[in-house]
Amino acid sequence: MKFKLGSAVFTLAACLAISPAAAEGLKVGITGTFTGPNATNGIPYRNAIETFPDTIGGMPVEWIVLDDGTDPTTATKNARKFVDEDKVDVLLGSTSSVTSAAIVDVANEAQTPMIALAPIRIPDDKRAWVFNLAQPVPIMVSAIIEDMNKKDLKTIAFIGYADGWGDLNWTALEQVAADNGIEVIGGERFNRTDTSVTAQVLKTIAAAPDAVFIGASGTAAALPHVTLRDQGFEGPIYHTHGTVTKKFIEAAGPAAEGALMPTGPMVAANDLPDANPIKAVSLDFISTYEGKWGEGSANPLGGYAWDAMLLVGAAAKVAAETAEPGTPEFRTAMRDALQSGAEVAGTNAIYTFTETDHYGVDERARVLVEVKGDGFRLAE
């Protein structure tokens, strides 16, 4: 493995014996938000990547990793470098919705399979080469609405990012709430770099909702959460699955206690039945990740990166039966293997991509957790 600090680039290559069909090995280009406003979400992905194996799918693999700084323009430049100069077999990234959406066109133009590591909406005319790894937002928001119905809560207000991630959550909330008898009575927005959301919070409290949904992520989600509590809001506060990180708990402090958010099953891996295939995969990931980064460090964001590695490995093994890595035929075979309908168990879901479904997950891909102390526990 070669690792270049400062350039935020590292490559991981293997020197093991390989089959003739895989003589050149697999190349995977990964762009992520390892610096910038979304760095707290991107860093767990990078940490997971540093635990990736030297071989997957029966062949050596070179991981080529670039930081896009949470900037869509940089993410696009990284993706173009991967396909034009590095000739990668698959693109992974980015680790925010905005930067992931920015590279969809590159994947389609280069006819290179892309797995988005953050939730995005895939337009029908862009679906051919693009897969979405993170659970679709409506599936995650449905866990919030189910919890509200259990608690007989009738109204909810929204405070979210004024960007693509905020839009995804706002749209999902409107849709799922309406389908399940919950009224959305307020919608406020803020920027990731804002230092105050007092005006938005006061408007929200004035609407008197039973609960509030914060459509943000990472440490930036702490600002509206703490402000709501400081201004006297006592109802449930729900968050997105992008907030399931200890950095959020640290940023929000004592006010984080009781915060609710949907997330992948990995967070509650020890509580899953042994027959659930997600359990064994999750415990393996947790052991590997925490073996390098310390006890308690594993999180669902790193799990997404791990799941992408598993998907690429499974697809590469099938693709290598008919084509050699580094060729257009192999990239097509990779795409076809990904969308073959075969189930792949990961840490956050059981993925089943088909030609018409490039999201590939269902309700098995989420649970609702609550902040208790310095960690996340299954919500009661």
Side-chain angles (χ1 to χ4, degrees), residues 246-261:
K246 285 197 171 182
K247 293 293 185 183
F248 164 76
I249 298 176
E250 293 169 2
E257 189 74 13
L260 296 156
M261 53 277 284

Side-chain angles (χ1 to χ4, degrees), residues 64-219:
I64 308 170
V65 185
L66 291 174
D67 177 19
D68 56 44
T70 323
D71 177 54
T73 301
T74 303
T76 302
K77 289 179 180 177
N78 290 348
R80 293 205 180 281
K81 176 185 180 299
F82 290 146
V83 299
D84 293 339
E85 299 177 21
D86 300 310
K87 310 296 184 185
V88 299
D89 298 294
V90 60
L91 289 167
L92 302 184
S94 175
T95 56
S96 80
S97 297
V98 176
T99 47
S100 292
I103 64 176
V104 165
D105 285 343
V106 177
N108 277 282
E109 291 169 11
Q111 297 190 343
T112 299
M114 164 194 164
I115 301 177
L117 301 178
I120 61 170
R121 187 184 68 82
I122 307 172
D124 289 343
D125 62 344
K126 306 290 185 183
R127 187 176 60 229
W129 295 90
V130 179
F131 299 83
N132 191 67
L133 187 66
Q135 300 92 330
V137 174
I139 285 181
M140 304 308 262
V141 171
S142 70
I144 294 172
I145 299 302
E146 282 182 12
D147 190 62
M148 288 187 66
N149 278 326
K150 282 197 305 184
K151 295 173 178 172
D152 199 28
L153 303 175
K154 302 299 184 185
T155 60
I156 190 167
F158 177 85
I159 304 175
Y161 287 152
D163 63 16
W165 182 232
D167 292 344
L168 283 170
N169 282 281
W170 169 251
T171 301
L173 178 63
E174 283 194 307
Q175 171 194 330
V176 180
D179 291 344
N180 291 276
I182 302 293
E183 184 180 2
V184 181
I185 61 173
E188 298 291 330
R189 299 299 185 99
F190 70 103
N191 296 309
R192 293 172 186 253
T193 54
D194 285 351
T195 57
S196 173
V197 292
T198 300
Q200 294 95 323
V201 164
L202 292 177
K203 288 182 182 177
T204 298
I205 292 176
D210 293 333
V212 174
F213 177 33
I214 296 177
S217 61
T219 56

Side-chain angles (χ1 to χ4, degrees), residues 307-332:
D307 292 354
M309 179 269 292
L310 295 175
L311 285 162
V312 169
K317 184 176 182 179
V318 175
E321 295 174 357
T322 57
E324 294 186 15
T327 65
E329 291 79 10
F330 185 83
R331 292 192 288 274
T332 298

Side-chain angles (χ1 to χ4, degrees), residues 230-255:
D230 285 347
Q231 294 298 328
F233 183 74
E234 297 180 349
I237 301 177
Y238 296 96
H239 288 265
T240 73
H241 47 304
T243 310
V244 185
T245 165
K246 285 197 171 182
K247 293 293 185 183
F248 164 76
I249 298 176
E250 293 169 2

Side-chain angles (χ1 to χ4, degrees), residues 284-298:
D284 179 46
F285 161 69
I286 292 169
S287 174
T288 301
Y289 191 98
E290 295 189 353
K292 181 174 180 62
W293 300 108
E295 184 177 354
S297 58

